[in-house]
Amino acid sequence: MAAIDPLTAGAVFLATAGTDAVYVMFTSAVVARKRVPAATWSSIWYLLSSYAVISYTDNWVYVAFAGIGSWVGAYVTITFLHRPPGGPPVGAAPE
């Protein structure tokens, strides 16, 4: 097993945490049927996820950091994502 670079591990963790946070916002915009916000969140989602994939393709151990980051990103975003009563989901900004 190759050595783990802490900087790369941290970057993969943060990239996947951000990816899942953005995915939650993307899903919220899709549910609200807001095209521009959904498309914007989608592009950010792919930029973040591509970094993580490129980073851990050389060493499978980074997949663990990606998985943990993904879990943390979704959990934190859902925890702090508040929807006003009767209003559209957060992330579904008007077009």
Side-chain angles (χ1 to χ4, degrees), residues 1-89:
M1 176 167 38
I4 297 173
D5 176 20
L7 185 60
T8 300
V12 168
F13 172 85
L14 291 175
T16 53
T19 298
D20 265 50
V22 168
Y23 177 72
V24 168
M25 300 305 285
F26 164 75
T27 303
S28 180
V30 168
V31 167
R33 299 183 55 83
K34 300 296 184 177
R35 292 175 294 180
V36 172
T40 302
W41 286 119
S42 179
S43 65
I44 294 168
W45 174 23
Y46 276 95
L47 289 172
L48 288 170
S49 63
S50 65
Y51 171 79
V53 169
I54 290 167
S55 295
Y56 67 67
T57 52
D58 288 337
N59 186 345
W60 65 269
V61 175
Y62 293 121
V63 173
F65 293 97
I68 294 167
S70 176
W71 191 93
V72 169
Y75 182 85
V76 169
T77 304
I78 293 294
T79 299
F80 293 105
L81 188 67
H82 297 287
R83 188 182 92 135

